[in-house]
Amino acid sequence: MTPVLSVRGLSVRFLMPGGRRVAAVTDARFDVAPGECLALIGESGCGKSVLASALLGLLPGNAQTAGSALLGDLDLLTAGERTLARTVRGRLIGLVPQSPAAHLTPVRTVRSQLEETVAALTATRGRAALRAAAEAAAERAAFPADHLDRHPHQLSGGLAQRAATALALVGDAPLLLADEPTTGLDRDLVDRTADELRRHVDDPGQGGRGRALLMITHDLAAAERIADRVAVMYAGRIVELADAAAFFGSPGPRHPYSRGLLQALPDRAFTPIPGMPPELGDLPAGCAFAARCDRATDTCATEPPAGTVACHHPHVPEDVRA
């Protein structure tokens, strides 16, 4: 099938004072197919949210991008602000933002914001119909009906997250971009939110064109629950692309960093990865994970091979059996 989103060679550099460049994203390559959820995981500061901002054209003025990100026939990296504002955001890409409280209008109720979004993105008209559609959108995101007439400052972090999710689902967008969509939620609501995002992907939508989900998350349990594939990001690079069932089950991840993420979970070894990630403005030559990796050799001072696992010494099934 033709991918909903096809990213090739996406790189983002920030030009800092004094001419210094920060390599926030380097040569990202992946597809997201109709009916697929791709979970993008990695430690804070590795470039996940910068990648999302690049897809939406929301990078600051000192950012420079390269590569391509095709949504159908539209290259998101070269599209103008008019196209992004009127055609892409909300209509072709629905966004569940990382900081939902900052994306809600502080002087308007959640109900009024939902009704306005429904009116802007759908053919629904009339006060009663808009009210009903807004309430239906809130219910999908488990936002309580008795809080719809509250303002954002009256909401907890979890309620603000659910309000943002409801807004993102309104436009029936072919691509849903969820940046930490389970932040601030208890486990039951995490599962409910993740399941609703999965239902959105499984529903082919209007015209049966198919939808896709790119979920950026620290919550590996949520990723395991709904993802079809996993992309692991480290120091601005995607270091592994894997089938979710194999990644979370057997044989497990192949990149040492990916395995370290899983082994740090409380229900696994609960063993943290030693050391700290490198600064994106001062990346080492070769593999950026080498200083923290117990499999590193002198070869790791050179660029890792391209492919689904960017590692000179990836784990293989024989390692697991041993």
Side-chain angles (χ1 to χ4, degrees):
M1 293 184 292
T2 301
V4 174
L5 175 69
S6 182
V7 173
R8 294 291 181 271
L10 171 56
S11 297
V12 180
R13 300 286 183 271
F14 292 113
L15 183 60
M16 308 303 289
R20 186 170 69 97
R21 282 179 166 79
V22 174
V25 180
T26 300
D27 197 27
R29 297 170 182 267
F30 60 88
D31 292 334
V32 191
E36 180 181 42
C37 169
L38 176 66
L40 181 61
I41 65 174
E43 291 170 285
S44 295
C46 70
K48 304 186 302 296
S49 293
V50 172
L51 189 153
S53 296
L55 297 178
L56 289 162
L58 296 177
L59 293 171
N62 66 331
Q64 300 173 333
T65 61
S68 65
L70 296 179
L71 186 66
D73 296 327
L74 176 65
D75 189 344
L76 299 171
L77 301 187
T78 58
E81 174 59 26
R82 182 184 180 91
T83 298
L84 292 167
R86 296 194 175 190
T87 304
V88 175
R89 300 178 193 134
R91 292 173 173 83
L92 295 179
I93 301 179
L95 172 67
V96 181
Q98 184 176 26
S99 303
H103 287 73
L104 297 172
T105 304
V107 296
R108 298 180 58 190
T109 66
V110 175
R111 183 189 301 277
S112 70
Q113 294 182 59
L114 276 170
E115 290 181 354
E116 179 185 47
T117 303
V118 170
L121 300 182
T122 74
T124 305
R125 295 294 179 267
R127 172 171 289 188
L130 287 173
R131 184 182 182 89
E135 291 175 353
E139 184 177 2
R140 288 180 65 189
F143 187 90
D146 59 357
H147 284 56
L148 279 169
D149 294 311
R150 296 190 179 187
H151 291 80
H153 74 274
Q154 297 173 299
L155 305 178
S156 66
L159 284 175
Q161 186 71 57
R162 282 182 268 170
T165 301
L167 289 164
L169 295 174
V170 166
D172 191 38
L175 177 65
L176 191 61
L177 202 166
D179 192 355
E180 300 291 353
T182 58
T183 299
L185 304 181
D186 61 36
R187 197 70 247 168
D188 287 343
L189 282 174
V190 165
D191 292 345
R192 180 167 176 174
T193 299
D195 290 346
E196 184 55 53
L197 295 175
R198 182 73 240 187
R199 279 192 291 273
H200 181 78
V201 174
D202 291 338
D203 184 343
Q206 297 176 4
R209 61 192 175 184
R211 297 159 165 166
L213 169 63
L214 176 59
M215 182 172 72
I216 297 169
T217 185
H218 290 98
D219 191 337
L220 298 187
E224 183 177 7
R225 186 178 182 90
I226 68 169
D228 298 294
R229 287 190 303 142
V230 176
V232 182
M233 201 166 196
Y234 185 78
R237 290 183 180 270
I238 293 178
V239 296
E240 183 167 5
L241 270 168
D243 176 79
F247 185 89
F248 290 108
S250 179
R254 297 190 60 204
H255 196 284
Y257 173 66
S258 306
R259 297 185 78 87
L261 284 180
L262 286 189
Q263 292 305 307
L265 294 176
D267 59 346
R268 302 213 180 198
F270 207 21
T271 303
I273 301 173
M276 295 292 291
E279 292 289 336
L280 294 178
D282 188 27
L283 292 174
C287 176
F289 187 62
R292 307 173 71 186
C293 181
D294 60 5
R295 299 170 71 89
T297 66
D298 291 344
T299 307
C300 300
T302 61
E303 195 73 26
T308 56
V309 185
C311 180
H312 290 290
H313 309 294
H315 288 265
V316 294
E318 288 73 15
D319 297 329
V320 178
R321 288 196 292 270

